[in-house]
Amino acid sequence: MSWQSYVDEHLMCDIEGHRLSAAAIIGHDGSVWAQSESFPQFKSEEINGIMQDFAEPGHLAPTGLFLGGTKYMVIQGEQGSVIRGKKGTGGITIKKTNQALIFGLYEEPMTPGQCNMVVERLGDYLVEQGL
């Protein structure tokens, strides 16, 4: 299965009539493995900040998490494995695997829990596969 099909079929899928607004699989080095058309153009320093927060949990809390110039307030996650952020009626979930970051962005009416489920389920599967 290609990385693009993981994004198209597993991240941008329909969940109870809702879907993510954007999704991507990005290498730890910031290289794009696959992304939805709607995924924002991001800067390498934004990915570096996210990677630093996985290494040093709480790093992004004072400044917020930035992706594509959009600022998200960092909310609870799972230390070293999941970062969650909120902005208005939407938010972001990022799951770290051995080699990549799985991104899911959502807007209402999708719920944070639905976004977490979609992103973390794929991330857990990739971790099990050694990716």
Side-chain angles (χ1 to χ4, degrees):
M1 184 178 284
S2 76
W3 291 113
Q4 191 61 49
S5 61
Y6 279 109
V7 169
D8 296 341
E9 297 170 22
H10 296 280
L11 293 174
M12 297 300 290
C13 60
D14 196 62
I15 302 291
E16 298 174 20
H18 311 300
R19 63 181 50 216
L20 295 174
S21 56
I25 301 173
I26 297 173
H28 288 181
D29 62 358
S31 61
V32 176
W33 294 11
Q35 66 183 22
S36 64
E37 286 183 27
S38 54
F39 196 76
Q41 182 66 43
F42 60 87
K43 299 181 179 107
S44 60
E45 57 265 21
E46 293 172 332
I47 300 301
N48 293 340
I50 290 165
M51 288 300 296
Q52 189 167 352
D53 195 78
F54 279 118
E56 303 167 35
H59 169 75
L60 292 174
T63 59
L65 181 160
F66 286 85
L67 185 70
T70 299
K71 180 179 179 178
Y72 296 88
M73 179 179 65
V74 179
I75 55 176
Q76 97 293 346
E78 294 171 26
Q79 199 169 15
S81 114
V82 179
I83 297 172
R84 298 184 183 108
K86 184 94 174 111
K87 177 176 177 30
T89 60
I92 186 170
T93 301
I94 308 166
K95 169 75 176 177
K96 181 178 182 261
T97 71
N98 299 331
Q99 299 175 24
L101 300 173
I102 315 299
F103 286 80
L105 285 72
Y106 70 93
E107 290 292 335
E108 282 186 349
M110 185 173 227
T111 67
Q114 289 170 324
C115 178
N116 297 342
M117 182 182 68
V118 169
V119 172
E120 294 173 37
R121 185 183 294 162
L122 177 60
D124 290 343
Y125 169 77
L126 294 177
V127 168
E128 288 170 13
Q129 301 305 307
L131 301 167

